[in-house]
Amino acid sequence: MKRIFALLLSSIMIIGACEQKEANTIESEDLTKSKNVKSEKINQIEQKQITPDEVMALYLEALENPNSNKVTEKFREKMGPLIEKSKNTLGENGPPNELQPKVRLKTFEEGRSRFKVETLEFANEAYKTGRLIRLTALYNSKEAQWYLDDIEIEEAANEPFELTWEEVEKYTKLNGVEIKKADEQIDPRYFEFSVINNNQMYIKGSVLKIDRSNGLVSFVSVPEQENTGSHAENDSVEDNTESTSKPVKTNYSSLKDYSGQWKDSNGIFFLKVENVRGISADISLDICSSKCVRLASIGPVTLNFDKNSVSHSYDEDGWGNSGNFKITLNPDGIVLTYADQEISMSQ
């Protein structure tokens, strides 16, 4: 009897131990699952969603520093040909460097690990054609870091901006220009407006229009400027002396012979050569646009001529533009190469 009781007690203890082990196993599995859930939640909390402005900041950093560690190899491969184009030309078709995120910065695609935005680069009268820019950022979960991964560029000629009036107002205000929309809009391709304040870009009272497809601003009319007596007198003198003006110089023999002011026949490009010292000279280039209401200025800068020519790359022309130009000294004058144009200059 005692033997049977002992066996029964032993069986009960074994069953209890098994049940306890199973309970511990289940508890351990539940704890593991709980920890995993908590870990996932922690990871979700740690992953900060990127904003459109932060995507733009990544691009501007990469533009300033091509070796930025916040871009992927794919992005570098996309930017490489653009950088080469800007070196081999006057800057056209290079990396977009005049973006307008404060005019338009639209979220194009949004996800936890992929974020895409769209912004604009307006056309201008130099070489900007108007481009839509789309930037893609990817999230690296291992490094808990967002990287700029792709850039897509669409010409406005193929994919028009379709600017709104609100965007036009934003653009002009950023440049310190206050405008009033014309009561009658003649052509739906443009917004026509007048300038209602004094500013550095346009004369107050000027009437302009902006191409809705690419952002190019052009003049419709400018207010007439009253001539002073001295101006009128100068005009009269020029008219009377036109037939007796000096003949065009030929056969310049040295760089010093090219000293002075030079201009093209359309009154757009003005070149100054001064302080000639052997093969070097101080060069200034002014470029008029929109009836010379806007004036881009480059220099003065000291350049060394190689035989009969010199090229110069500039970062600023007073309007935020960069590019380059070439000066060629010919026997009968100067030829300026600018934005793929060869422009004959005379004194």
Side-chain angles (χ1 to χ4, degrees), residues 21 34 80 92 94-95 133 136 165 199 232 237 261 285:
K21 183 178 180 181
S34 176
E92 61 270 27
I133 315 300
T136 301
W165 175 248
N199 58 83
V237 170
Q261 298 275 2
L285 176 62

Side-chain angles (χ1 to χ4, degrees), residues 86-106:
S86 66
K87 291 178 180 178
N88 298 327
T89 65
L90 294 172
E92 61 270 27
N93 301 319
N97 59 357
E98 295 180 23
L99 302 184
Q100 300 291 339
K102 292 185 178 180
V103 175
R104 181 187 296 178
L105 184 55
K106 184 171 69 175

Side-chain angles (χ1 to χ4, degrees), residues 234-276:
N234 288 340
D235 291 343
S236 176
V237 170
E238 287 179 4
D239 290 339
N240 292 334
T241 59
E242 183 176 0
S243 60
T244 58
S245 60
K246 295 180 180 179
V248 177
K249 291 183 180 179
T250 58
N251 298 321
Y252 294 86
S253 58
S254 68
L255 179 57
K256 195 169 185 179
D257 293 331
Y258 292 88
S259 295
Q261 298 275 2
W262 297 79
K263 65 180 181 179
D264 72 315
S265 59
N266 295 318
I268 296 176
F269 296 91
F270 298 86
L271 183 70
K272 188 175 183 180
V273 181
E274 57 185 341
N275 298 327
V276 175

Side-chain angles (χ1 to χ4, degrees), residues 28-276:
S28 176
E29 290 176 353
D30 290 342
L31 184 61
T32 300
K33 289 180 180 178
S34 176
K35 287 182 178 178
N36 288 338
V37 170
K38 288 181 180 178
S39 178
E40 288 177 5
K41 288 182 177 179
I42 290 172
N43 287 337
Q44 289 176 4
I45 293 172
E46 289 177 349
Q47 179 179 337
K48 181 180 179 295
Q49 184 62 23
I50 198 168
T51 66
D53 286 332
E54 288 171 335
V55 176
M56 284 302 308
L58 286 176
Y59 176 73
L60 294 176
E61 181 180 333
L63 194 63
E64 185 174 343
N65 177 19
N67 297 318
S68 170
N69 61 0
K70 294 181 182 179
V71 302
T72 65
E73 191 61 34
K74 176 183 176 181
F75 181 82
R76 286 196 179 91
E77 290 175 357
K78 279 289 194 75
M79 288 288 281
L82 296 174
I83 294 172
E84 287 303 312
K85 283 182 181 178
S86 66
K87 291 178 180 178
N88 298 327
T89 65
L90 294 172
E92 61 270 27
N93 301 319
N97 59 357
E98 295 180 23
L99 302 184
Q100 300 291 339
K102 292 185 178 180
V103 175
R104 181 187 296 178
L105 184 55
K106 184 171 69 175
T107 300
F108 203 76
E109 181 182 334
E110 185 175 2
R112 282 189 50 75
S113 60
R114 181 182 173 89
F115 200 90
K116 190 173 184 178
V117 300
E118 175 187 281
T119 188
L120 310 172
E121 183 181 58
F122 280 28
N124 63 22
E125 292 179 326
Y127 55 81
K128 298 288 185 182
T129 56
R131 299 185 286 184
L132 274 164
I133 315 300
R134 297 189 180 109
L135 301 167
T136 301
L138 292 183
Y139 184 73
N140 186 318
S141 57
K142 291 182 179 180
E143 300 178 15
Q145 176 71 49
W146 284 94
Y147 290 90
L148 200 57
D149 181 63
D150 196 10
I151 179 171
E152 301 169 51
I153 301 174
E154 290 289 345
E155 292 289 335
N158 301 323
E159 192 170 344
F161 293 174
E162 297 182 357
L163 288 171
T164 66
W165 175 248
E166 289 73 19
E167 289 174 328
V168 174
E169 286 186 306
K170 288 179 183 178
Y171 176 64
T172 56
K173 284 180 181 179
L174 287 170
N175 290 284
V177 182
E178 296 178 17
I179 61 175
K180 180 183 178 182
K181 190 177 181 180
D183 294 333
E184 184 180 0
Q185 298 293 321
I186 300 172
D187 191 332
R189 296 175 300 173
Y190 302 90
F191 280 125
E192 192 170 306
F193 56 89
S194 57
V195 178
I196 60 175
N197 73 320
N198 293 311
N199 58 83
Q200 295 183 346
M201 291 185 68
Y202 307 111
I203 296 174
K204 182 179 179 181
S206 300
V207 179
L208 304 99
K209 63 180 181 180
I210 185 168
D211 191 322
R212 295 183 60 203
S213 70
N214 60 20
L216 178 64
V217 177
S218 55
F219 274 80
V220 176
S221 64
V222 292
E224 293 185 5
Q225 303 295 305
E226 293 183 3
N227 290 329
T228 63
S230 60
H231 285 167
E233 182 179 343
N234 288 340
D235 291 343
S236 176
V237 170
E238 287 179 4
D239 290 339
N240 292 334
T241 59
E242 183 176 0
S243 60
T244 58
S245 60
K246 295 180 180 179
V248 177
K249 291 183 180 179
T250 58
N251 298 321
Y252 294 86
S253 58
S254 68
L255 179 57
K256 195 169 185 179
D257 293 331
Y258 292 88
S259 295
Q261 298 275 2
W262 297 79
K263 65 180 181 179
D264 72 315
S265 59
N266 295 318
I268 296 176
F269 296 91
F270 298 86
L271 183 70
K272 188 175 183 180
V273 181
E274 57 185 341
N275 298 327
V276 175

